[in-house]
Amino acid sequence: MSAPTPIGVFDSGHGGLTILAALQQRLPDEHFLYLGDHAAAPYGERTPEEIYARTQAAVELLFALGCRLVVLACNTAAAVAMRRLQQGWLARTHPKRRVLGVLAPMVEALSGRAWTGGQPLPWHRQTARSVAVFATRRTVESGAYPREVAARAPSVLVDQEPCPGLAGAIERDLAEEALADMVRDAVERLLARHPSEPPEAAVLGCTHYPLVAAHFAASLPTGVRLLSQPDVVADSLERYLARHPRFRGGLGETRFFSTGDSARVSRLAGRFLGRPVRFSEVP
Ligand code: DGL
């Protein structure tokens, strides 16, 4: 029997653990390898060139560790680096391997249309007509969410609001009141642009933000639906693996690597996954 092949999950830091938790729950028979680039986090304030270079290096490392499929569980990396990675480097150097992101499944959910080909998707019929996206500065500047949704569903209005410093503050475990203030400020800035009609739905377009989802829910007007990116990504990966069973890994043990101080990371990261987690330094 061949050795299990892990599915790689990558984020700038701990945020991707919110995605990993949903993947593990949905796909209990898969085995994952998580990599956090804690030495360089947060990505949201880095230049697009730095984000591209670090994301490529991380994917290369996950490939070297045996992954054939890597999920970029980081909106910033997916928004800034994904297209360039897929169309250039990946196709040239690893044509049999795949990199997926967290942005494409969310765009499919918002537009009701497939990322590739744009055909209607039967499982995403409940699209909101107006959506707020809260994300890092770089994700917002990339324009990826409004551009990709508009390309598939021009009638869906997407407005976005950067939350500078929020991912880093969550990662450092800043006091809840301070996090609540940062979230309230971002929500108020966005709502000020829509005084008479708030958006119908909101996306937390950064994988760190599920940890402060309660603050978003409390700050947004009643009735605004908060869409869960971890659930949407887990649905999408489940369907992808059903279509491409060659990327299924088989049973194994999930391992966690960090480019940062693994003892410190292990101490802080457990609450992102919902249970204690032990990181090792990258090999
Ligand atoms: N968690 C990442 C995201 O989804 C990045 C946050 C950061 O490193 O700034 O955007």
Side-chain angles (χ1 to χ4, degrees):
M1 220 173 88
S2 58
T5 309
I7 296 173
V9 179
F10 168 68
D11 181 47
S12 61
H14 319 319
L17 293 171
T18 61
I19 301 289
L20 178 70
L23 299 183
Q24 287 185 313
Q25 201 180 13
R26 187 66 56 87
L27 299 158
D29 292 341
E30 296 304 322
H31 117 96
F32 298 94
L33 213 159
Y34 185 89
L35 172 61
D37 188 9
H38 295 89
Y43 275 16
E45 312 292 320
R46 291 191 172 270
T47 66
E49 251 338 290
E50 283 175 316
I51 294 167
Y52 177 79
R54 298 213 59 114
T55 303
Q56 185 194 311
V59 174
E60 187 78 79
L61 176 60
L62 286 165
F63 284 167
L65 292 170
C67 301
R68 286 184 305 217
L69 172 66
V70 171
V71 179
L72 300 184
C74 175
N75 289 268
T76 311
V80 172
M82 180 80 165
R83 197 179 286 271
R84 190 171 151 199
L85 269 184
Q86 281 179 329
Q87 290 177 355
W89 171 77
L90 186 68
R92 225 177 27 251
T93 56
H94 300 286
K96 295 224 168 89
R97 304 191 189 212
R98 293 290 176 270
V99 178
L100 305 174
V102 287
L103 196 134
M106 215 58 226
V107 166
E108 290 189 335
L110 296 174
S111 66
R113 296 195 168 251
W115 179 259
T116 310
Q119 74 276 16
L121 295 172
W123 50 84
H124 280 318
R125 250 172 275 149
Q126 299 296 321
T127 309
R129 282 165 306 169
S130 55
V131 181
V133 175
F134 296 95
T136 66
R137 190 199 305 269
R138 283 289 169 258
T139 300
V140 168
E141 281 175 4
S142 77
Y145 271 106
R147 182 182 63 243
E148 300 297 345
V149 172
R152 293 163 182 81
S155 63
V156 178
L157 296 176
V158 176
D159 192 12
Q160 17 171 37
E161 185 58 44
C163 309
L166 182 57
I170 296 169
E171 186 127 346
R172 289 194 310 278
D173 201 10
L174 208 70
E176 278 312 313
E177 307 85 76
L179 295 174
D181 285 348
M182 291 174 91
V183 169
R184 192 177 333 102
D185 288 351
V187 171
E188 279 173 6
R189 285 194 302 271
L190 183 127
L191 290 178
R193 297 196 291 276
H194 307 273
S196 51
E197 214 178 334
E200 289 179 3
V203 170
L204 305 186
C206 169
T207 55
H208 284 70
Y209 298 174
L211 265 86
V212 288
H215 299 317
F216 276 99
S219 301
L220 285 162
T222 321
V224 179
R225 265 187 307 138
L226 258 189
L227 306 180
S228 163
Q229 187 170 46
D231 288 344
V232 167
V233 173
D235 283 350
S236 174
L237 185 64
E238 189 177 24
R239 278 192 293 268
Y240 184 85
L241 292 177
R243 290 198 307 278
H244 305 281
R246 69 181 188 283
F247 292 117
R248 296 207 81 112
L251 268 184
E253 177 203 359
T254 295
R255 287 178 302 154
F256 300 86
F257 291 105
S258 170
T259 58
D261 171 349
S262 56
R264 181 173 182 277
V265 168
S266 304
R267 239 185 358 263
L268 290 171
R271 70 207 165 94
F272 285 74
L273 196 61
R275 59 178 184 277
V277 49
R278 185 185 293 254
F279 274 82
S280 309
E281 258 132 64
V282 288

